[in-house]
């Protein structure tokens, strides 16, 4: 199975990569990959994933409260 994991450098993303290590994985995260950039999104489309796991999150607690 072809799986895309956004937020691959975070705690959840890393755990998913370990757990799903036998699958074909494409891990994406900032600053190399920006989901608001159409060219970056094309990377996902070109990979032709069966599943996309969106594990990216904002981790700045103070900014989240605002």
């Amino acid at each position: 199975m072809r799986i895309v994991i956004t937020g691959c450098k975070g705690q959840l993303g890393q755990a998913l990569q370990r757990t799903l290590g036998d699958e074909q994985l494409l891990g994406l995260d900032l600053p190399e990959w920006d989901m608001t950039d159409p060219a970056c999104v094309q990377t996902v489309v070109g990979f032709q994933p069966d599943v996309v796991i969106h594990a990216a999150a904002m981790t700045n607690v103070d900014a989240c409260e605002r």
Side-chain angles (χ1 to χ4, degrees):
M1 184 178 296
R2 299 169 68 83
I3 302 172
V4 170
I5 301 173
T6 66
C8 70
K9 295 178 185 175
Q11 187 174 359
L12 177 57
Q14 290 179 19
L16 286 167
Q17 289 178 88
R18 285 191 300 273
T19 301
L20 301 170
D22 292 337
E23 306 296 336
Q24 286 183 282
L25 300 177
L26 174 60
L28 305 168
D29 211 325
L30 292 171
E32 301 84 18
W33 188 80
D34 179 356
M35 73 175 62
T36 65
D37 180 349
C40 289
V41 173
Q42 189 61 38
T43 303
V44 174
V45 174
F47 184 67
Q48 297 181 330
D50 299 301
V51 177
V52 175
I53 301 173
H54 183 52
M58 185 174 180
T59 58
N60 183 331
V61 176
D62 293 332
C64 289
E65 285 181 359
R66 283 191 296 276

